[in-house]
């Protein structure tokens, strides 16, 4: 065979030439392959660094440990999980060969189901948090407490762990049961009923709930914005600033949720239109679009949250190593609530 006039040897064509049942490589021009590797590696490194900054910021500065920010912290943990585990493994998948063995293949798929399910759960919790904050603000402090938020986050990760364990139960018992050649990493959902349940439970139902909640938030936010324009007294101005802070948080988190839906839809549509199998080559672009969302989230925070920029500055200048730095007034004089 030839690739643009260059002869192809058996070593170039097969993942493991020494094995008779070796999988075949996905052949690409060297320049194209190098550029794609560089792009994917850059996205991976950027995503790891940015999500780590979010985690350190909220975990270190006590002033940032609000109910909403704890949900953002949980989301950042799932995004960091994607960028530090899923993205590097997926780069190894790029040429169509799996060189890391069966155990790493199980870890790859298990962490993928876990992280995506946790991300969806976190998005639902964020939507509920904003719904109560905007639509029922008087009862927000009593309904949404730190203890309840931590409990919900724990349940979210517990459900995600159980979900991943159940979907991959056959693969956990026999890691290579779905492979058709040596050097392949494949998983299949056991049957169509479970595949549909997974699709509904981890995408259709949560996205539907998120959409309904945020449509309600949008309607109430518009009404409140109009009401604030007519308030002129000193007391009403203070309330107005507080409401504006909540509305700003709702808008920012709304952007996060919209980007999540945009990045997730192509992959789930691809899965729905094809079959329940997930291979190292099928839907690669759609899968990377989901992973890209893990890099987009902290970028949104950087543009929309001044506290994130200030916290990042303190981290890079090593001010967080100073005694008592966790008590620093990272919000300054602003009324940021998240």
């Amino acid at each position: 065979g030839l690739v643009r006039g260059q002869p192809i040897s058996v070593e170039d064509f097969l993942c493991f030439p020494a094995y008779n049942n070796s999988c075949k490589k996905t052949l690409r021009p060297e320049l194209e392959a190098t550029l794609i590797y560089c792009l994917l590696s850059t996205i991976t490194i950027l995503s790891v660094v940015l999500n780590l900054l979010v985690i350190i910021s909220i975990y270190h500065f006590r002033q940032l440990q609000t109910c909403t920010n704890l949900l953002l912290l949980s989301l950042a943990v799932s995004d960091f999980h994607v960028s530090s585990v899923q993205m590097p493994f997926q780069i190894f998948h790029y040429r169509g060969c799996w060189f890391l063995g069966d155990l790493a293949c199980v870890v790859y798929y298990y962490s993928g189901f876990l992280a995506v399910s946790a991300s969806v759960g976190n998005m639902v919790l964020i939507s509920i948090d904003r719904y109560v904050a905007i639509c029922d603000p008087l009862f927000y402090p009593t309904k949404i407490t730190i203890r309840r938020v931590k409990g919900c986050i724990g349940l979210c990760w517990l459900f995600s762990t159980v979900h991943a364990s159940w979907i991959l139960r056959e693969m956990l018992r026999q890691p290579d049961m779905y492979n058709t050649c040596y050097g392949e990493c494949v998983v299949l959902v056991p049957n169509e009923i479970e595949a549909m349940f997974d699709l509904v439970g981890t995408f259709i139902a949560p996205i539907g709930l998120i959409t309904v909640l945020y449509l309600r938030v949008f309607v109430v936010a518009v009404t409140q914005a109009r009401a604030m324009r007519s308030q002129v007294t000193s007391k009403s101005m203070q309330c107005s600033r507080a409401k504006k802070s909540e509305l700003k948080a709702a808008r920012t988190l709304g952007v996060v949720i919209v980007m999540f839906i945009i990045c997730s839809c192509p992959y789930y549509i691809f899965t729905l239109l094809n079959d329940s199998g997930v291979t190292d080559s099928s839907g690669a672009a759609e899968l990377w679009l989901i992973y890209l969302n893990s890099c987009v989230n902290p970028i949104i925070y950087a543009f929309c949250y001044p506290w994130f920029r200030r916290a990042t500055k303190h981290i890079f200048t090593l001010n967080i190593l100073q005694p008592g730095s966790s008590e620093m007034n990272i919000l300054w004089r602003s009324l940021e609530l998240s």
Side-chain angles (χ1 to χ4, degrees):
L2 297 174
V3 176
R4 295 189 178 181
Q6 299 296 325
I8 302 176
S9 64
V10 175
E11 289 74 15
D12 296 327
F13 190 67
L14 299 176
C15 299
F16 297 91
Y19 293 85
N20 293 329
N21 64 332
S22 172
C23 297
K24 298 178 181 179
K25 292 182 180 179
T26 302
L27 298 179
R28 298 181 185 274
E30 285 300 320
L31 178 59
E32 177 186 335
T34 301
L35 291 176
I36 292 179
Y37 271 127
C38 291
L39 176 62
L40 299 184
S41 299
T42 301
I43 293 174
T44 300
I45 294 172
L46 185 63
S47 182
V48 168
V49 172
L50 290 177
N51 283 293
L52 193 58
L53 288 174
V54 176
I55 293 171
I56 294 174
S57 298
I58 299 177
Y59 181 81
H60 180 77
F61 296 105
R62 291 189 181 181
Q63 197 178 33
L64 298 181
Q65 294 172 10
T66 62
C67 293
T68 303
N69 283 352
L70 287 179
L71 296 175
L72 293 184
L73 174 61
S74 179
L75 180 61
V77 170
S78 62
D79 286 339
F80 179 77
H81 188 83
V82 168
S83 56
S84 60
V85 179
Q86 296 305 112
M87 289 184 179
F89 279 176
Q90 187 63 20
I91 291 176
F92 281 105
H93 258 182
Y94 174 63
R95 287 290 184 108
C97 299
W98 185 260
F99 299 104
L100 303 179
D102 294 334
L103 179 60
C105 181
V106 173
V107 172
Y108 167 68
Y109 279 115
Y110 187 90
S111 62
F113 277 97
L114 174 65
V116 172
S117 181
S119 295
V120 173
N122 286 320
M123 290 294 180
V124 171
L125 293 177
I126 289 172
S127 300
I128 295 173
D129 173 81
R130 288 299 90 195
Y131 174 81
V132 177
I134 300 299
C135 301
D136 200 4
L138 295 179
F139 294 96
Y140 180 83
T142 56
K143 287 184 177 180
I144 309 296
T145 63
I146 295 292
R147 184 176 180 179
R148 288 179 179 177
V149 167
K150 288 181 178 179
C152 289
I153 292 173
L155 289 175
C156 173
W157 282 94
L158 177 62
F159 171 81
S160 300
T161 302
V162 172
H163 169 257
S165 301
W166 174 256
I167 291 294
L168 299 178
R169 62 189 183 279
E170 299 294 339
M171 190 180 191
L172 290 173
R173 284 196 288 263
Q174 186 180 347
D176 62 345
M177 66 179 302
Y178 300 114
N179 296 345
T180 58
C181 57
Y182 193 79
E184 190 174 34
C185 179
V186 178
V187 64
L188 295 175
V189 179
N191 55 67
E192 293 183 0
I193 296 177
E194 290 190 15
M196 185 56 63
F197 177 81
D198 176 63
L199 182 65
V200 173
T202 62
F203 182 70
I204 297 177
I207 294 302
L209 177 60
I210 290 170
T211 302
V212 170
L213 290 175
Y214 249 86
L215 284 176
R216 176 61 178 163
V217 167
F218 175 76
V219 172
V220 174
V222 171
T223 303
Q224 290 185 1
R226 290 175 179 173
M228 284 188 294
R229 295 193 188 101
S230 62
Q231 294 176 343
V232 293
T233 65
S234 176
K235 184 177 180 180
S236 65
M237 285 297 292
Q238 293 177 358
C239 295
S240 176
R241 285 195 295 270
K243 288 181 179 180
K244 284 182 178 179
S245 180
E246 293 286 4
L247 292 175
K248 180 181 178 182
R251 285 196 299 268
T252 300
L253 297 175
V255 173
V256 171
I257 290 172
V258 168
M259 289 304 302
F260 173 77
I261 295 174
I262 292 174
C263 292
S264 301
C265 279
Y267 177 76
Y268 283 100
I269 292 174
F270 173 87
T271 303
L272 188 62
L273 294 179
N274 285 268
D275 50 41
S276 60
V278 180
T279 70
D280 55 359
S281 58
S282 65
E286 292 84 356
L287 198 59
W288 266 103
L289 191 58
I290 291 181
Y291 296 162
L292 181 63
N293 183 246
S294 297
C295 184
V296 170
N297 287 339
I299 292 176
I300 295 174
Y301 306 153
F303 279 103
C304 299
Y305 287 140
W307 62 255
F308 179 61
R309 296 192 293 271
R310 295 179 199 130
T312 300
K313 181 179 179 181
H314 287 301
I315 293 171
F316 280 122
T317 56
L318 301 182
N319 286 336
I320 62 171
L321 300 180
Q322 297 178 1
S325 61
S326 61
E327 304 295 338
M328 189 178 298
N329 183 10
I330 204 69
L331 298 182
W332 291 3
R333 296 182 180 179
S334 68
L335 289 175
E336 293 169 294
L337 300 179
S338 58

